[in-house]
Amino acid sequence: MSRWMSHEEMRALLRQRLKSSRYEHSIGVAETALKLAKRFRVDEEKAYVAGLLHDCAREFPNAELMQEAEKRGIEAGPVERAMPLLLHAYIGAYRVKELYGVEDREISQAIWRHTVGGADMTPLDQIIYFADMIEPHREYPKAGQLRALAETASLDEMLLAGLSESILFVVQKRHLVHPDTVTARNEILLKMHRS
């Protein structure tokens, strides 16, 4: 007996609420997260569900994200106020319970962190963050290189490459770099230097 609605029910509800390209992306992230979970012996059900629902709050237009965050008592920092799209991750961490019946702290946390990372990322957090970057529908210059890492590298090495690529991308776009992304990257580097 599932702890929450079935995958089929989740997919049906998600398909109703997201534009088709976002829905296809969500399926891609779920399937990629499942593969990574198998490789790294992480809970496969949690990885699939977190991957499937990671963008569930993308149903809201950007203009409404601040209001949706305030409704849930989510505090927006200066980076989120400047780039409200980032709030979809935090709102999504609440929406999984509100709409999909998923009451699981690890899944909510992985969804919360899938866009900018964070301190002390768990293997599930790392998998969802990385799966979001490498799912088959993603096309950008380094996507193939990052996908290749998913076959051979350690989870920390994969995440380090993903976080570094993310920072380079936002710097090139002259966007703000979220402090949580820097924290996550620095933690991995410090851990690698210690071992």
Side-chain angles (χ1 to χ4, degrees):
M1 178 78 183
S2 180
R3 294 165 281 182
W4 37 68
M5 68 171 61
S6 71
H7 295 172
E8 292 73 23
E9 291 168 313
M10 287 179 188
R11 286 192 296 264
L13 188 52
L14 205 58
R15 188 190 288 273
Q16 288 170 19
R17 304 185 82 90
L18 297 180
K19 65 181 188 179
S20 61
S21 60
R22 182 66 46 192
Y23 173 77
E24 292 304 324
H25 164 71
S26 299
I27 297 294
V29 173
E31 290 170 355
T32 304
L34 181 59
K35 284 182 195 159
L36 291 171
K38 286 178 178 171
R39 183 171 171 232
F40 293 107
R41 295 184 177 88
V42 169
D43 187 307
E44 294 173 23
E45 170 70 3
K46 289 184 182 190
Y48 184 87
V49 170
L52 184 64
L53 300 180
H54 79 287
D55 268 353
C56 65
R58 288 298 295 269
E59 68 181 272
F60 298 114
N62 284 356
E64 292 175 20
L65 287 170
M66 195 65 75
Q67 184 185 348
E68 289 295 329
E70 285 168 5
K71 261 193 229 175
R72 291 164 179 83
I74 298 168
E75 230 175 283
V79 177
E80 288 86 3
R81 282 194 290 279
M83 297 165 50
L85 179 61
L86 296 175
L87 293 168
H88 85 272
Y90 314 153
I91 296 162
Y94 283 78
R95 294 294 279 170
V96 293
K97 180 180 175 186
E98 295 167 3
L99 268 188
Y100 299 89
V102 177
E103 294 189 55
D104 184 281
R105 192 191 58 76
E106 291 175 6
I107 291 173
S108 295
Q109 178 176 291
I111 291 171
W112 181 284
R113 293 175 164 191
H114 86 265
T115 305
V116 295
D120 302 314
M121 288 179 78
T122 66
L124 182 62
D125 296 342
Q126 294 177 313
I127 283 171
I128 301 308
Y129 182 92
F130 201 71
D132 188 28
M133 291 188 83
I134 67 161
E135 65 91 11
H137 301 94
R138 286 277 197 212
E139 289 184 25
Y140 53 95
K142 292 280 174 91
Q145 212 173 314
L146 293 175
R147 282 187 193 107
L149 285 179
E151 305 294 323
T152 57
S154 72
L155 203 42
D156 280 345
E157 288 166 341
M158 284 168 35
L159 193 67
L160 178 61
L163 291 162
S164 298
E165 184 58 32
S166 178
I167 289 169
L168 287 169
F169 176 79
V170 297
V171 167
Q172 286 165 354
K173 294 268 187 191
R174 297 179 59 93
H175 289 300
L176 298 164
V177 177
H178 199 288
D180 286 352
T181 310
V182 176
T183 296
R185 185 176 180 275
N186 285 347
E187 277 185 0
I188 293 170
L189 283 171
L190 288 167
K191 187 162 92 174
M192 287 176 165
H193 289 308
R194 283 193 299 268
S195 52

